[in-house]
């Protein structure tokens, strides 16, 4: 878990980042934030995405999560059947997105189209973000940032 000095330091860094006109220019602060967040139990992929994108709202969300770990622990109890259904829906949406991308009009009629290069998709909205975070934690999905996920490494 996290200790109070780590949380205090993260709070100070968040305040310093918010003082900038453009939070992306606070590179030294973001470097310190990244080092501190690596010491927590937060998913490393999400940490990298938030820091890499200089996402102030995401950093604030991390601080909220670290300050109230009891409420986060209560949310972590998921029905395995619901996780399976969510994963099935994600795969279905991914396959439909790939098919849609491959079947775009405008290609030569003599070719079969082009291979899709879909890297990630937004997951179905029928499930809350906590479900997708749990699937990331289990390694079944990988979070890329800005709400996009891809299949995890097998």
């Amino acid at each position: 878990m996290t200790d109070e000095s780590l949380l205090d330091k993260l709070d100070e860094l968040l305040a310093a980042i918010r003082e900038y006109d453009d939070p992306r220019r606070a590179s030294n602060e973001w470097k310190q934030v990244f080092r501190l967040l690596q010491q927590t139990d937060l998913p490393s992929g999400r940490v990298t995405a938030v820091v890499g994108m200089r996402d102030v709202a995401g950093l604030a969300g991390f601080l909220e999560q670290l300050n109230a770990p009891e409420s986060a622990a209560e949310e972590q109890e998921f029905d395995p059947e619901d996780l399976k259904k969510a994963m099935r829906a994600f795969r279905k949406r991914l396959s439909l997105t790939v098919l849609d991308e491959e079947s775009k009009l405008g290609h030569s009629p003599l070719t079969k189209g082009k291979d899709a290069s879909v890297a990630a998709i937004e997951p179905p909205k029928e499930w809350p973000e906590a479900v997708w975070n749990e699937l990331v934690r289990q390694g079944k999905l990988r979070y890329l940032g800005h709400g996009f996920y891809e299949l995890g490494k097998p």
Side-chain angles (χ1 to χ4, degrees):
M1 287 313 241
T2 58
D3 61 344
E4 291 299 319
S5 63
L6 179 83
L7 293 174
D8 292 341
K9 183 66 176 166
L10 284 169
D11 282 332
E12 291 171 15
L13 289 168
L14 178 60
I17 289 170
R18 286 182 171 162
E19 289 178 8
Y20 280 83
D21 293 334
D22 184 4
R24 293 173 292 172
R25 296 191 179 267
S27 59
N28 289 334
E29 287 84 357
W30 282 108
K31 287 177 187 176
Q32 293 176 31
V33 164
F34 184 69
R35 282 189 215 114
L36 292 172
L37 288 177
Q38 285 179 323
Q39 300 172 15
T40 66
D41 296 337
L42 296 170
S44 62
R46 302 244 8 235
V47 169
T48 303
V50 166
V51 173
M53 295 297 189
R54 307 295 198 250
D55 184 6
V56 177
L59 177 57
F62 281 160
L63 285 174
E64 246 178 61
Q65 187 177 349
L66 291 171
N67 282 325
E70 297 82 26
S71 63
E74 291 172 9
E75 295 175 19
Q76 294 299 326
E77 296 179 21
F78 297 101
D79 181 25
E81 192 61 34
D82 286 341
L83 293 175
K84 279 185 184 180
K85 288 179 183 178
M87 196 65 199
R88 195 174 308 130
F90 181 86
R91 284 193 184 105
K92 180 73 170 182
R93 173 155 305 168
L94 180 62
S95 67
L96 289 175
T97 303
V98 168
L99 286 172
D100 184 47
E101 187 65 28
E102 288 177 346
S103 67
K104 295 283 186 197
L105 294 177
H107 300 291
S108 169
L110 301 176
T111 63
K112 65 176 186 164
K114 65 176 186 174
D115 291 335
S117 59
V118 176
I121 61 169
E122 289 185 11
K125 302 291 183 201
E126 291 84 17
W127 285 273
E129 187 178 343
V131 169
W132 306 116
N133 292 338
E134 176 65 17
L135 289 168
V136 167
R137 190 188 68 73
Q138 292 179 4
K140 294 180 180 179
L141 293 178
R142 194 169 143 229
Y143 182 72
L144 297 179
H146 295 285
F148 286 90
Y149 294 83
E150 70 177 0
L151 288 174
K153 305 291 183 214

